[in-house]
Amino acid sequence: MSVLSIIRDCLDALLHPSARYDALTRARHRAFMAPRLLGSLAAFAAFPVYLAMRGAPTAIEVAAFAWLIAPILLSWFLSRTGRYDGAHILSSLALAGLVMMVAANTGGIESFAAVGLVVVPLEAALSASRRVVAFASALALSCAALLIALGHFDLLPVVEPNAALRSLLMAVGIAAATLYAVGLAFGSESLARTSVALLSVEEDRYRLLALNMSDVISRHSRNGAVQFISPAAETMLGTSVTRLAGHGLFDRVHVADRPAYLTALSDAARGGEARSVEFRLRRDVVRGQSNSDFIWVEMRCRPLEHASPEAEVVAVMRDVTDRKVQEHALELARTAAERADASKTRFLATMSHELRTPLNAIIGFSEMIVQEDLLMIDAARRKEYAQLINDSGQHLLSVVNGILDMSKMESGNFEISPEPFAPRAALLHCCNLLALKARDNGVDLVTRAPEDLPMMTGDPRAFKQIVLNLVANAVKFTERGGHVTVSAAVEGSRLMLRVTDTGVGIAPDDLKRIGDPFFQAGKTYQRKHEGTGLGLSIVKGLVGLHHGEVNVQSKVDEGTTVTVVLPLAFMPSAVELNSPSSPSSQAPSSNVATLKPALRSGLQDQAHQVKKSA
């Protein structure tokens, strides 16, 4: 370990705690204490030698040595208080006092010591404080004026003229002042070099942060103009930072978000507090990145410390597009969960009615048959009760079958077996089955099926179920005196099946959800008509199995038209035939297809649309 290192460690141990954590302040305190401690110790060590060579010293000489040892007290003051400016003021007073004392006893303003007054403001310059320099300059000028005044009024001690000694002392005084000034210059240069080195280190540190941070750091005027922006903006926006200067960044802000962008900057500049805002920025297409036109950015801005009167703002921007996509996906999931919960509630309410009503009839009429002796029920009444029990059981069976069919479709296990059949015969058969119900409801059921309808390939059971569900719904929701028209036609290679009624119709908001499981449109007729809300859901599933389409058009109080488009020659695709959940994977020769779960594919489509729109 070198001597300089030992001295530096000793000085660092004497530093005030407030100066130990700042390199520049530590260097200034060390530069103040080192020469004073060394000079005082040197004067203290030279005093015995001076006594041996000089003999008994005079009072002035003793006072001079005492003043040379006094800087130890200044170092102690700085070490205990950390008041750098105060220590320099005391040092100026001590130096000026020493010069005044020696000059007053050796010729006044003409003394060799008077030149030391020039060093007083030079020493104060190391404080880097205008207040201290002004005080030291005023002090030096005051001391010089006082020496001149005392000499003018003959108030100084008389000194015997000795030209040789006077010249020698003047040379010693000038040399001492010059050496002291040289020491001050070296100290000033050392502090300046330390300051430059620290600034360079800080600049390198901030440059390293600016170049390697993924967040964008920018400096704005109050009107939003960019004065500086870090290079990370090139990666974020795909353009050079020069094109973002001025109002280049503002031009890329989405038009709808510009008021919020400018308001955040203005509030931060005026209010003095940090502001946060999210907005969209237009991004240029960069190779290897998504080709989205806009990205979501979160900007946190605050007023710049020691800023000019124009109130500048520094901001940090971060790409939050992924977070916004996730938030949107979560919102969609929450909406879907709320709809599922509402569907569950509707399902429970519907099932409690649809199951309880026929069960009550079955239980009630069966109890009456059991007690036929007490109630004296005749054969005709017994037959009527048995028929009512049978009807209630058939209704329960249709409800359960509908739920099971819908469950199979959603799980992807509903099977169809395509085969050639005559759609006209199937259509007439279904309409004949529902003709009695239509007549009982006072509804005119009309069937229009041309005799030349060609044969088609599909599942005849599924086709009949489609027709029965559509016609039954139309009859159920048509008031007495209304009309239901069922028509079929061929357009190209497709069969167009259309069911039109003059019923209550469907509101536009409900029309969007028609076909969802257990959804029943409208509140006015939800409990007026029986049903589980599965009719159109099953229709959509069966039509989807045949690669067809369903279109619903309706107006409230005017009626509804449901159009089903089916291919005349349907064959299951290879994916359906080879589905692991399908028996066709075990028997390739059978034409059996299974319905893929629609719910999962719908969620995938929504997620894809969210990512694309972001």
Side-chain angles (χ1 to χ4, degrees), residues 139-150:
L139 179 62
L141 292 175
S142 299
C143 291
L146 181 60
L147 288 176
I148 293 174
L150 292 176

Side-chain angles (χ1 to χ4, degrees), residues 479-514:
E479 301 294 338
R480 184 172 295 275
H483 303 276
V484 174
T485 303
V486 183
S487 61
V490 175
E491 291 186 5
S493 61
R494 302 184 303 174
L495 175 68
M496 309 293 291
L497 176 64
R498 184 173 288 106
V499 179
T500 304
D501 64 64
T502 58
V504 295
I506 304 172
D509 292 338
D510 293 337
L511 194 60
K512 300 176 182 177
R513 299 190 57 194
I514 284 295

Side-chain angles (χ1 to χ4, degrees), residues 160 216 233 266 284 376 378-379 411 425 458 467 489 512 533 555 599 601:
E160 297 180 359
V216 177
S266 179
D284 295 343
M376 294 182 294
D378 55 15
S411 63
V467 176
K512 300 176 182 177
K555 291 185 178 180
L599 181 59
S601 62

Side-chain angles (χ1 to χ4, degrees), residues 466 470 491 494-498 536 539-552 562-567:
I466 291 172
L470 292 180
E491 291 186 5
R494 302 184 303 174
L495 175 68
M496 309 293 291
L497 176 64
R498 184 173 288 106
L536 268 181
V539 169
K540 290 182 67 175
L542 294 175
V543 171
L545 275 173
H546 288 80
H547 300 168
E549 300 175 1
V550 178
N551 181 30
V552 181
V562 180
T563 304
V564 174
V565 182
L566 296 173

Side-chain angles (χ1 to χ4, degrees), residues 236-237 249-258 279-285 290-297 319-322 324-325 610-614:
M236 178 183 291
L237 300 177
L249 181 64
F250 174 78
D251 293 338
R252 289 177 172 267
V253 178
H254 195 280
V255 176
D257 299 333
R258 290 179 180 179
F279 55 92
R280 286 161 290 183
L281 274 178
R282 179 169 51 83
R283 177 175 62 181
D284 295 343
V285 178
S290 173
N291 57 352
S292 300
D293 291 334
F294 285 91
I295 61 172
W296 277 98
V297 172
D319 187 352
V320 294
T321 303
D322 292 340
K324 298 294 288 188
V325 170
V610 169
K611 190 170 184 181
K612 184 177 180 181
S613 62

